[in-house]
Amino acid sequence: MKLENDRLIIKDVEPEEASFYFELFNDPDWLKYINDKGLKTVEATKKYLIDILEKNGKLNGLGFFTIFSKELNEPVGMSSALQREKLDFIDLGYALLPKGRGKGYASEATLLMMDYIKDTFKQEKVYAFTLPENEKSKRLLEKLGYTYIGKQSVFEGEEDCVYEFIF
């Protein structure tokens, strides 16, 4: 999968991006708002990415993707589009390193992914989840036209704010 606009490319994860993902998975905001994957080396991260690629291959175009900045000429974040067992519609996720924040990349990447989900999977809506304390994510989703629909426990041990966007 490859999506593109003037400033970004969103593409399949590659094992060669292990150093970038090691940095992302150990970023304080990732650890605070997403989870601790327990990946303490670049090599362990590379093995994790290989596993992601294998799983992505079975998801028919869904999965985890790298957000690449044309301007910076490097990866700045990741995006995901997943169909979870507990949900009727695909949920969209994103995370950026500090070097990619404050530049509008999260909004642009989310819009690209929303179009991809609508066009490829013929969805009538898409979900996004964020922890209640993640004010930046909540503001971004609202800015993009998502509607807060309540709290739900989608992931083990936590209750997230659920947002939906109806196409």
Side-chain angles (χ1 to χ4, degrees):
M1 189 276 278
K2 183 177 177 184
L3 307 174
E4 190 169 352
N5 69 10
D6 291 342
R7 299 188 329 140
L8 301 176
I9 297 171
I10 300 176
K11 61 180 188 56
D12 291 319
V13 170
E14 296 178 15
E16 296 75 30
E17 297 166 340
S19 293
F20 161 73
Y21 275 97
F22 175 74
E23 184 181 358
L24 181 65
F25 293 156
N26 289 285
D27 176 70
D29 281 349
W30 178 283
L31 296 170
K32 180 178 179 179
Y33 295 121
I34 300 176
N35 66 18
D36 184 351
K37 296 197 174 301
L39 299 168
K40 302 302 179 199
T41 67
V42 172
E43 189 57 37
T45 304
K46 186 173 185 174
K47 289 177 184 174
Y48 180 80
L49 294 179
I50 291 168
D51 185 49
I52 284 177
L53 279 172
E54 183 180 324
K55 289 177 183 173
N56 281 3
K58 298 173 185 174
L59 296 175
N60 300 317
L62 295 175
F64 296 89
F65 308 97
T66 303
I67 301 169
F68 186 88
S69 164
K70 293 178 181 179
E71 177 183 11
L72 300 175
N73 197 33
E74 62 183 324
V76 293
M78 62 80 58
S79 188
S80 64
L82 299 168
Q83 180 68 65
R84 302 191 192 270
E85 286 183 26
K86 297 180 181 181
L87 303 174
D88 295 329
F89 297 96
I90 293 170
D91 84 84
L92 185 99
Y94 54 86
L96 282 88
L97 281 176
K99 65 184 168 189
R101 296 178 195 150
K103 296 175 174 23
Y105 294 157
S107 294
E108 290 179 40
T110 301
L111 290 170
L112 281 168
M113 291 297 293
M114 289 168 60
D115 286 343
Y116 172 68
I117 290 166
K118 181 180 83 172
D119 296 342
T120 305
F121 301 99
K122 309 303 181 209
Q123 297 281 292
E124 63 186 59
K125 67 172 83 171
V126 64
Y127 291 129
F129 302 91
T130 188
L131 290 176
E133 61 270 21
N134 192 341
E135 295 298 329
K136 288 181 181 180
S137 255
K138 292 189 316 190
R139 279 194 305 273
L140 178 105
L141 293 169
E142 290 167 1
K143 179 181 111 179
L144 294 176
Y146 281 74
T147 303
Y148 173 73
I149 58 172
K151 291 184 181 176
Q152 181 178 349
S153 181
V154 177
F155 310 104
E156 292 183 33
E158 57 189 59
E159 193 171 66
D160 289 303
C161 292
V162 182
Y163 287 82
E164 72 176 5
F165 183 92
I166 299 172
F167 294 112

